[in-house]
């Protein structure tokens, strides 16, 4: 029986991914593995957002793998948080992880409108603020046709599961 649930989170900047995860962890428990948290811990003042990209991905995967490999008798939800905008980026993360066959894999995508994403983004501070043109590009590339998951969830802009 697959006890651990691994949620691969997908969506543009500002759509509510991390807020949704925090709400779920507060309610149900679990582990949040965030690519941005890894990135922000590595960046020095004034460095480019994509500095250390290889190291960011490596540490992101290491943290996710630690959660997946924890004691099998302790079921826990694991939230793997990054934009994962298209199938190639999702496959890159999933292919880097081992022992996913022992987990129940849930793909989660957000349908927050671009105007709301930009509004929320403008409430951020520091490195967390993403330029509007980056969000525009993310929406152009965003593919919500998730494949290869045990289950797929759609989350609306209020953070509610639609399907």
């Amino acid at each position: 029986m697959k006890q651990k649930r691994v949620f691969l989170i997908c969506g543009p900047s500002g759509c509510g991914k991390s807020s949704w995860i925090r709400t779920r962890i507060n309610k149900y428990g679990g582990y949040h593995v965030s690519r941005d948290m890894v990135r922000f811990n590595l960046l020095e003042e004034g460095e480019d957002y994509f500095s250390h990209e290889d190291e960011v991905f490596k540490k992101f995967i290491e943290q996710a793998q630690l959660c997946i490999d924890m004691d099998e008798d302790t079921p826990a939800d694991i939230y793997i948080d990054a934009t994962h905008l298209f199938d190639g980026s999702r496959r890159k993360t999933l292919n880097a992880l081992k022992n996913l066959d022992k987990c129940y894999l849930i793909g989660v995508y957000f349908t927050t409108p671009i105007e709301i994403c930009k509004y929320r983004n403008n409430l951020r501070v520091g490195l967390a603020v993403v330029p509007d043109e980056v969000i525009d590009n993310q929406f152009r590339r965003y593919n919500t046709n998730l494949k290869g998951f045990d289950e797929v969830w759609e989350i609306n802009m209020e953070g509610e599961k639609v399907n």
Side-chain angles (χ1 to χ4, degrees):
M1 181 170 126
K2 297 178 180 180
Q3 294 185 29
K4 288 184 186 168
R5 294 191 304 178
V6 173
F7 293 80
L8 188 77
I9 310 302
C10 311
S13 300
C15 71
K17 298 181 301 291
S18 296
S19 296
W20 181 80
I21 292 167
R22 281 190 297 274
T23 299
R24 288 194 54 89
I25 288 175
N26 286 338
K27 189 170 185 176
Y28 305 110
Y31 301 96
H32 184 187
V33 181
S34 166
R35 193 166 177 161
D36 277 345
M37 282 190 235
V38 170
R39 181 183 319 284
F40 297 152
N41 284 329
L42 290 173
L43 287 177
E44 300 286 332
E45 182 77 28
E47 279 189 301
D48 179 68
Y49 181 87
F50 291 106
S51 297
H52 315 287
E53 191 59 28
D54 290 341
E55 187 178 3
V56 168
F57 184 74
K58 181 180 179 223
K59 288 186 179 300
F60 173 65
I61 294 300
E62 285 173 359
Q63 288 180 10
Q65 194 66 59
L66 282 172
C67 293
I68 290 167
D69 291 342
M70 281 189 290
D71 183 7
E72 280 182 19
D73 296 327
T74 309
D77 289 343
I78 302 161
Y79 300 90
I80 302 176
D81 182 7
T83 56
H84 297 118
L85 296 172
F86 52 94
D87 194 53
S89 64
R90 295 187 275 270
R91 290 290 127 223
K92 180 179 177 183
T93 296
L94 294 174
N95 288 340
L97 294 168
K98 297 176 180 67
N99 301 321
L100 281 177
D101 57 324
K102 297 177 183 174
C103 302
Y104 190 78
L105 187 58
I106 301 171
V108 179
Y109 70 93
F110 287 72
T111 58
T112 307
I114 191 169
E115 299 80 18
I116 302 297
C117 291
K118 287 181 177 181
Y119 172 79
R120 290 175 179 171
N121 177 62
N122 287 326
L123 298 175
R124 297 173 172 178
V125 295
L127 289 172
V129 179
V130 177
D132 278 353
E133 55 272 7
V134 171
I135 294 175
D136 290 336
N137 187 44
Q138 289 177 344
F139 267 83
R140 279 192 293 277
R141 300 173 70 208
Y142 190 30
N143 176 343
T144 59
N145 184 18
L146 279 61
K147 301 172 191 164
F149 293 90
D150 295 310
E151 194 172 337
V152 174
W153 293 8
E154 176 186 339
I155 307 298
N156 66 21
M157 70 180 196
E158 287 87 21
E160 298 166 341
K161 185 174 179 242
V162 175
N163 56 354

